[in-house]
Amino acid sequence: MDIKKIVAEMTLEEKAGLCSGADFWHTKAVERLGVEAITMSDGPHGLRRQEEEGDHLGMGGSVPAVCFPAGCATAASFDETLIYKLGEELGKECRAEGVNVILGPAVNVKRSPLCGRNFEYYSEDPYLASRMAAGYIKGVQSHGVGTSLKHFLANNQEHRRMSSSSEMDERTLREIYLAAFEEAVKEAKPWTVMCSYNRINGTYAAQNRKFLTDVLRGEWEFDGFVVSDWGAVNDRPADLEAGLDLEMPSSFGHNDARIVEAVKTGRLSEEVLDQAVERILRIVERSRQGKKTAPYDKEAAHALARKIAGECMVLLKNEGVLPLSRETKAAFIGEFAENPRYQGGGSSHINSFKTESAWELADKTHVTYAQGYRVKEDGTDEALLKEAVDAAKKADVAVVFAGLPDSYESEGYDRTHMRLPENQNALISAVCEANPNTVVVLHNGSPVEMPWVDRVKGILEAYLGGQAVGGAVLDILYGDVNPSGHLAETFPVKLEDNPSYLYYQGEGDRVEYREGIFVGYRYYDKKKMEVLFPFGHGLSYTEFALSDLKVSAERIRDTDILEVSVDVKNIGSRPGKAVVQLYTAPPKEGIIRPVRELKGFAKTELAPGERKTLHFALSKRAFSYYDAETGEFRAPSGRYGIEAGFSSRDILQSCMVELEEDRPPGTRIGMDSIFLDILKKPEAMPYVKEIVAKMDVEGAGSGESMGEGTKEMLESVLGYMPLHALVSFSGGKVGFADIEEFIRKLNESGIF
Ligand code: BGC
């Protein structure tokens, strides 16, 4: 396809038309020029392909498909290869169903546990989110099918999602919210990026030139098209100008007409329109490689969904109760044992071709079942509670299947609290009374408070584990699969502990991100706060030890790559998979930064007694913060910790490296500069002495009336003094001309 030629041959009307959908899921074809339509379909954790009438709320029907674990779960795998495999499978399914672009992955940072869509998102940590997204994108696209990385940008709540403005400073944007997209775009090159509904610092994402063009294309070299979230377009010509290429779904001709008119009246340059058309055509062209293939094997995909779910679930607590033996007399209690909640509501909702529950697959000769609660009600049903308690009493182990009902978390609205339904908390307490060996299996898309945490012997976080969740839960409960998931988010003790708590949901449409960069563990660790379960936490049925942390150099420049290695050994008696996390700990002085930040991770399988060396490479970015003044990521000179562990609170190996910044930004001394900053450069001392001599402070500080600490006080008064204040502090002995001369000398000295 000669794209330039086609654009030249298209009429203005055809070009305007190509920039919005033909219907809910297709772009427009231009038959006379051989331009085919492309088909998009929701993901991210399965295919929601709709045949005829479409909708973006997950209400209408869709073709039966396979529901894989949702993003909340797959991120907990800490396994890029696994996510790649999931991507590959989805790519295959897309081809079989004639889908050219799947709408995912969704990488928005989990700012608050309350966000209704957290179940679709990956993590509170942008590095982890971006790595997971990269794996997914590469997997899908290896089949000649595109992805749509979403929702760009700062779409961290559902409340007023189409009008709210996420207000934050540049550093927070760069280090947290943009960073979640950054590596995924740079490394995995998604075919498309979906802009979000909300505004960022007042400007709609759809209309935000800074992010859609300057950052995405300019800085990150994105070469695909930007598509609007469904209905996120505001002012079509302005959106095009900002870099939004495709409006979805159809605008029913209204915006096509507006584009034509804007070009004719000169409001929009035709070149901008041509550029958008070219970008869309390039993806149309790429899509031609991914023609429809034979139907995929749904049963094999179901088996894969079970395997993936088993790799994601997080064993939060285990006081010797798990794994169960096949002979254990177990009582499965709770409606989720029979009807598990395994996906969330909204546009990602999959029409699963089948589902399996733990109860359905359980060995009924050793397991009994009691419903315990009604999932659609919050209040306790005394008869069900009694039946559950009786079942628990008769069993060796009681396994309560709890979690959040559909109505608690979904696209479109946020949770209002972090609790389980009342009847479930009451049930767990009552079962604990009846049987000391109680295990809780959780089905939820984001953290819940656990008032019973100290009373149960085991907790398995199954998250929203996809249609094969039942089998995967059994695999773990009975030890056929050794749990290896680790939390991609902190579980706070209570909602009020969360750093965004004071500001979450905002005031009207103004949502201030006042906690700044201190999201998730970056906050809890800095505050040394007690948490329920820390970021990165996850147990196994075996045990691992870390040793021999090594770095390629103890002194580096920020332009170097630091090679890090650490040994991990299985010191238990079962094979298992370890997740080793690598954090960097910035210097405490100077810039306000988190205690540690995740910069690498690796998952590896080890037989009992086996030991492996894991390798990591850290570049400048792993040590950097975003300096809003210079507009770049900088790693200031200083001593940095290199830490390896099994969670952000379980650091087992660490060492220090001395880093030197290659080109620290220069400082210009001016009237507002203070002595403390000037004297950070010892070479400036002779100049300072010269001007201090003019002040004639001889004898100052001997005044007894000023009490102890006078010398320190004088030093700090001088230290914090801006140069312009010298005039009054010297009683007029130093004049402005002296200060100007001093400034000139310093600036010319080459010291700064
Ligand atoms: C959602 C997107 C989704 C789109 C299409 C929107 O409402 O925010 O995530 O891909 O609809 O269904």
Side-chain angles (χ1 to χ4, degrees), residues 25-26 37-43 46-50 63 90-103 140 143-147 191 287 289-293:
W25 303 115
H26 302 93
I38 57 176
T39 305
M40 286 168 264
S41 175
D42 263 315
L47 261 193
R48 187 172 74 92
R49 194 174 81 69
Q50 299 192 303
V63 172
L90 291 171
K92 233 170 38 189
E93 295 182 14
C94 283
R95 288 193 62 165
E97 295 288 356
V99 171
N100 305 111
V101 174
I102 182 169
L103 304 176
V140 172
H143 280 268
V145 170
T147 52
W191 289 13
S287 300
Q289 307 152 15
K291 282 283 169 226
K292 206 166 168 150
T293 55

Side-chain angles (χ1 to χ4, degrees), residues 95-316:
R95 288 193 62 165
E97 295 288 356
V99 171
N100 305 111
V101 174
I102 182 169
L103 304 176
V107 287
N108 298 84
V109 166
K110 300 185 189 201
R111 177 182 177 227
S112 163
L114 298 184
C115 171
R117 272 185 112 166
N118 275 359
F119 70 88
E120 271 184 78
Y121 299 151
Y122 287 133
S123 181
E124 67 187 23
D125 181 85
Y127 174 77
L128 180 61
S130 214
R131 294 300 334 156
M132 292 293 123
Y136 179 104
I137 294 166
K138 287 191 225 165
V140 172
Q141 295 189 174
S142 70
H143 280 268
V145 170
T147 52
S148 198
L149 182 63
K150 65 189 188 182
H151 310 86
F152 191 64
L153 171 72
N155 177 191
N156 310 98
Q157 65 182 46
E158 289 299 282
H159 181 70
R160 300 175 77 100
R161 69 171 171 165
M162 296 185 82
S163 57
S164 67
S165 178
S166 305
E167 303 280 321
M168 72 190 90
D169 58 79
E170 187 69 15
R171 182 176 169 199
T172 303
L173 264 167
R174 295 278 177 169
E175 286 184 35
I176 306 290
Y177 297 96
L178 279 165
F181 292 84
E182 187 174 349
E183 278 210 36
V185 171
K186 285 181 174 167
E187 191 187 305
K189 306 202 176 309
W191 289 13
T192 81
V193 166
M194 185 191 293
C195 78
S196 56
Y197 289 121
N198 55 290
R199 291 177 286 173
I200 305 114
N201 292 333
T203 306
Y204 281 108
Q207 216 167 302
N208 214 313
R209 189 177 171 82
K210 171 175 169 180
F211 300 117
L212 299 190
T213 297
D214 302 346
V215 174
L216 196 57
R217 300 184 197 282
E219 296 178 29
W220 300 351
E221 297 177 354
F222 170 65
D223 67 354
F225 68 67
V226 176
V227 55
S228 71
D229 198 343
W230 269 229
V233 159
N234 307 286
D235 173 345
R236 193 60 186 107
D239 294 355
L240 259 173
E241 189 82 57
L244 173 64
D245 306 302
L246 177 66
E247 170 181 8
M248 285 302 287
S250 171
S251 76
F252 303 99
H254 293 291
N255 274 333
D256 305 7
R258 279 191 156 189
I259 294 172
V260 170
E261 192 199 319
V263 171
K264 284 188 176 157
T265 57
R267 187 185 161 204
L268 180 73
S269 107
E270 195 159 353
E271 274 170 27
V272 169
L273 177 62
D274 288 355
Q275 212 177 26
V277 170
E278 266 184 43
R279 289 176 187 145
I280 295 168
L281 290 179
R282 276 206 295 270
I283 300 304
V284 172
E285 169 70 4
R286 269 189 225 166
S287 300
R288 284 150 65 116
Q289 307 152 15
K291 282 283 169 226
K292 206 166 168 150
T293 55
Y296 63 99
D297 180 347
K298 285 205 177 67
E299 285 298 339
H302 179 83
L304 178 67
R306 177 166 173 169
K307 183 176 177 308
I308 292 175
E311 302 270 325
C312 300
M313 292 179 188
V314 187
L315 184 62
L316 293 173

